[in-house]
Amino acid sequence: MLRRSALPPRTWLPRGLSRCRPLHSPPPDRTSPEVISLLDTYSRLPPRPVPLSTLLSFGSPLSPESLLDSASYVLHELPRRLVHRVHSFDSLPYIVGTNPFIARTRQQYRSSFIALASQSSVDTLEDNWAFSQKLEELVKIHANDIPAMAKGFLESTRYMAPADISKFLDAAIQSRIAIRLIAEQHISLSRALRDPSSVSHNIGVVNPNCSPAEVIRMCASFVGELCEATLGSRPELIVEGVKDATFPYVSVHLEYILTEIFKNAFRATVEHHRAQKSTGPLPPITITISPSPCFLSLRVRDEGGGVPRNNMERIFSYAFTTAGRSAKGDSNDDDGGPYAAQHIGGSAALGTGLDSMESGDGGLFGEITGKALQTGLGTIAGLGYGLPLARRYASYFGGSLELVSLYGHGADVFIKLRSLDRGADVEI
Ligand code: ADP
Ligand code: MG
């Protein structure tokens, strides 16, 4: 475990990497001896998890000094994590690695690694501004990683066991969350110091006053429009409990989680209502907010018919979906739900989401947020990544996410999120 005081001095770089190129020079040739040496050097350095408080300490108080410390931390930590991702791609079965989607994602990790590992030290605020913009570009380049990997693995199911795909994805997503937190924390601090008027009370990725009610409103409005555009109508959403609760949390994580859970609840409600041939209004979805000293809990309750018993143990598997069944039905592996199930190894799940992946809004399946609405993109279901991703995000800081189904009536999703206050002993 690293304390900030134990971090290496700002000019620290792995041995042998001190002769850095100037900030704006082109990246080295990908197969040059310089790159091979960078890969070799960083491959020997394991990632070093830090307590969240260490990351946050760069912003409290935020000063030119602390920002340069943060840049130094990012520069020595991210290449380590990226190079390990590259290696995990390299350990996939050869034929899976040649899949265009997998190969492209691996290449992006490798390029990002090279960009950061060959970056010269950041010694001035001007250097830092250029560096933080470079970091923003890198974050954008990786926006489509999850759908790309999803498509790659769907095309590779003949060559890899579902359990191995899940293991790879779990590790990839866990590492992606950390990499993005580290990068986005630095980007946020850089913006805050450059233009103090642009930030309100919130410096850094953790919003000390994250308001679930506000995030709920934003996600419900986005998912409601998506639902109406896709399925023709939308249920009402009722907020109950402690509506004015706030807690320290990464707001964007809460957005990802709620967007996925709402998409499922809205879709189930509309489709179940239709399958029942009900003529009355759609039953509302109810979300209850319940704060406690260390956690904030949410319950999302819908009357969308719930999950058939046979599907219960698969709903948290990557690529398990009941979306995209043909009107006649092409499978009978559930026990009466409105749609037949696809899962890793299935074939018909592509129609509802993957085709629009190229449009590049950066998160059609796993990490879509209210902001994505501005690009007019999104799919209500179809990839089968919503629940596993939402659970990964919820559990990242020690929370949890469970779905309890009352088959025939509806489902409850219980989300428990760790308050990220100073005392939270979480590592990233
Ligand atoms: P997708 O929404 O792309 O199908 P998810 O991982 O979000 O993938 O959900 C997997 C499956 O779990 C869904 O296809 C659906 O069958 C089932 N499911 C999830 N949430 C609900 C819910 N609230 N009510 C009924 N079924 C649900
Ligand atoms: Mg979903």
Side-chain angles (χ1 to χ4, degrees):
M1 203 194 265
L2 272 178
R3 301 257 152 237
R4 186 175 154 203
S5 55
L7 289 174
R10 206 184 299 150
T11 50
W12 185 92
L13 278 172
R15 232 181 270 284
L17 296 179
S18 47
R19 331 131 264 116
C20 283
R21 297 167 311 104
L23 201 58
H24 301 290
S25 62
D29 171 25
R30 296 185 189 296
T31 50
S32 69
E34 192 186 350
V35 167
I36 292 166
S37 146
L38 284 173
L39 282 163
D40 193 46
T41 305
Y42 276 97
S43 299
R44 283 182 266 115
L45 302 171
R48 301 205 300 181
V50 287
L52 180 66
S53 55
T54 301
L55 197 65
L56 301 185
S57 71
F58 295 121
S60 59
L62 178 61
S63 64
E65 211 7 42
S66 72
L67 186 61
L68 295 177
D69 282 347
S70 168
S72 169
Y73 170 67
V74 171
L75 263 180
H76 95 263
E77 189 59 31
L78 286 193
R80 293 166 175 244
R81 299 195 185 213
L82 291 168
V83 83
H84 283 88
R85 284 297 94 220
V86 175
H87 288 314
S88 76
F89 277 101
D90 290 344
S91 64
L92 289 170
Y94 177 77
I95 193 151
V96 177
T98 62
N99 176 280
F101 291 96
I102 303 289
R104 193 178 72 191
T105 311
R106 177 202 174 271
Q107 188 50 40
Q108 281 165 349
Y109 272 96
R110 194 173 184 273
S111 306
S112 301
F113 162 75
I114 295 168
L116 289 178
S118 58
Q119 160 85 50
S120 53
S121 63
V122 173
D123 298 323
T124 66
L125 290 182
E126 275 319 298
D127 284 354
N128 182 68
W129 186 240
F131 173 59
S132 86
Q133 290 189 310
K134 180 171 171 178
L135 219 44
E136 263 185 76
E137 276 310 303
L138 294 182
V139 169
K140 270 193 217 142
I141 286 169
H142 287 273
N144 273 323
D145 282 359
I146 292 176
M149 287 192 284
K151 182 151 190 177
F153 282 119
L154 260 177
E155 292 177 352
S156 307
T157 49
R158 265 182 296 159
Y159 313 112
M160 225 174 137
D164 293 334
I165 295 179
S166 295
K167 205 168 144 202
F168 178 92
L169 284 169
D170 279 346
I173 291 165
Q174 188 80 0
S175 151
R176 172 187 170 81
I177 297 174
I179 288 172
R180 286 183 62 149
L181 274 173
I182 294 169
E184 281 169 1
Q185 172 73 0
H186 187 70
I187 292 167
S188 170
L189 297 186
S190 301
R191 282 200 200 124
L193 196 75
R194 187 155 173 111
D195 181 9
S197 64
S198 69
V199 286
S200 46
H201 54 281
N202 187 18
I203 296 179
V205 282
V206 174
N207 178 354
N209 300 305
C210 174
S211 155
E214 238 170 64
V215 180
I216 289 166
R217 211 176 4 260
M218 190 173 74
C219 296
S221 143
F222 164 62
V223 174
E225 291 196 26
L226 187 58
C227 186
E228 191 143 7
T230 317
L231 301 171
S233 57
R234 69 166 104 172
E236 192 195 339
L237 186 124
I238 298 169
V239 183
E240 288 182 347
V242 187
K243 293 188 210 170
D244 58 358
T246 62
F247 75 128
Y249 206 67
V250 181
S251 304
V252 75
H253 285 191
L254 182 56
E255 273 181 52
Y256 297 153
I257 295 167
L258 286 179
T259 301
E260 291 307 330
I261 299 309
F262 287 173
K263 284 198 288 182
N264 290 346
F266 278 54
R267 170 189 161 218
T269 302
V270 174
E271 291 182 346
H272 182 63
H273 194 256
R274 214 163 269 170
Q276 301 287 97
K277 304 204 173 3
S278 307
T279 48
L282 288 169
I285 290 160
T286 309
I287 179 160
T288 310
I289 304 171
S290 169
S292 66
C294 296
F295 289 92
L296 184 122
S297 301
L298 299 163
R299 183 190 63 197
V300 183
R301 170 164 285 182
D302 68 60
E303 293 179 30
V307 179
R309 192 171 28 85
N310 288 355
N311 290 352
M312 270 311 281
E313 62 188 41
R314 293 183 291 170
I315 54 173
F316 282 95
S317 305
Y318 293 106
F320 174 83
T321 181
T322 55
R325 183 193 189 186
S326 69
K328 281 187 258 151
D330 49 17
S331 164
N332 51 17
D333 62 352
D334 62 26
D335 63 3
Y339 293 94
Q342 311 290 331
H343 46 95
I344 286 183
S347 60
L350 295 177
T352 46
L354 292 170
D355 300 342
S356 52
M357 195 187 91
E358 300 301 338
S359 46
D361 83 322
L364 295 181
F365 315 108
E367 293 167 339
I368 194 162
T369 70
K371 291 182 203 95
L373 184 60
Q374 291 157 8
T375 65
L377 294 166
T379 49
I380 191 95
L383 197 73
Y385 274 54
L387 282 180
L389 266 171
R391 186 156 74 177
R392 284 251 132 227
Y393 271 97
S395 58
Y396 187 79
F397 295 118
S400 60
L401 189 150
E402 285 166 66
L403 186 148
V404 178
S405 162
L406 187 61
Y407 183 52
H409 180 78
D412 282 357
V413 175
F414 293 91
I415 305 162
K416 189 173 160 191
L417 304 173
R418 181 84 163 85
S419 271
L420 299 179
D421 45 36
R422 292 241 155 247
D425 184 20
V426 291
E427 284 206 325
I428 56 156

